[in-house]
Amino acid sequence: MDIVIIVEGKNDRSRLKRVVTEEVDIFCTYGTPGTLQVERLIKQVNGREVYIFTDNDSSGKRIRGILRDAFPDAEHIYTRRGYPGVEGTPEPYLLAQLEKAGLGEYLVFPEPAPALERWSKEDQI
């Protein structure tokens, strides 16, 4: 399945690239897209399945509306109100939202932090 995620800006794209596989293309609107930018996105998408992931603020909602018109069959992914946009969404919540959208096979989970080893008295000598 070829998929594309459309986000607002390059920081959002950088954030998502850390948690999805390389086979997922992430395109940016670079703010509120005009007609030319929407046409460019349609060409880049080229019939692939589209996921829209914009911020939960007035600008993000406006952009989501424009993209909804351009990509009526797109899936929508939402970040929680109060997070400072997609780029500021904590990774665990970001991963949960992407998984909820059905993108589990494309996710890259961070390595768990190594456990602290216990020191025996012999190790301290």
Side-chain angles (χ1 to χ4, degrees):
M1 165 168 81
D2 285 333
I3 65 164
V4 169
I5 301 175
I6 301 176
V7 296
E8 292 179 54
K10 61 183 180 180
N11 292 334
D12 298 334
R13 180 176 55 202
S14 294
R15 182 79 167 149
L16 285 180
K17 280 188 175 215
R18 291 175 27 188
V19 297
V20 297
T21 62
E22 290 181 11
E23 59 193 306
V24 176
D25 284 328
I26 304 169
F27 299 128
C28 300
T29 64
Y30 300 107
T32 303
T35 305
L36 291 176
Q37 178 64 7
V38 169
E39 288 174 9
R40 186 176 308 132
L41 285 169
I42 290 169
K43 286 179 184 176
Q44 289 176 311
V45 166
N46 193 24
R48 293 180 278 180
E49 189 170 350
V50 176
Y51 292 81
I52 298 170
F53 198 178
T54 59
D55 297 346
N56 193 5
D57 58 13
S58 60
S59 177
K61 290 175 184 175
R62 183 171 45 254
I63 293 167
R64 186 181 293 278
I66 292 168
L67 294 174
R68 183 179 292 120
D69 290 343
F71 303 101
D73 296 330
E75 295 288 330
H76 293 263
I77 305 170
Y78 297 89
T79 189
R80 183 180 292 165
R81 181 175 292 157
Y83 287 151
V86 173
E87 70 181 88
T89 299
E91 270 187 16
Y93 188 80
L94 198 63
L95 287 162
Q97 291 304 98
L98 292 165
E99 193 166 33
K100 185 175 162 182
L103 300 176
E105 68 185 279
Y106 299 101
L107 298 182
V108 176
F109 291 90
E111 293 291 322
L116 294 175
E117 294 181 29
R118 293 188 174 215
W119 292 74
S120 68
K121 288 186 179 183
E122 296 168 354
D123 293 331
Q124 294 175 359
I125 299 177

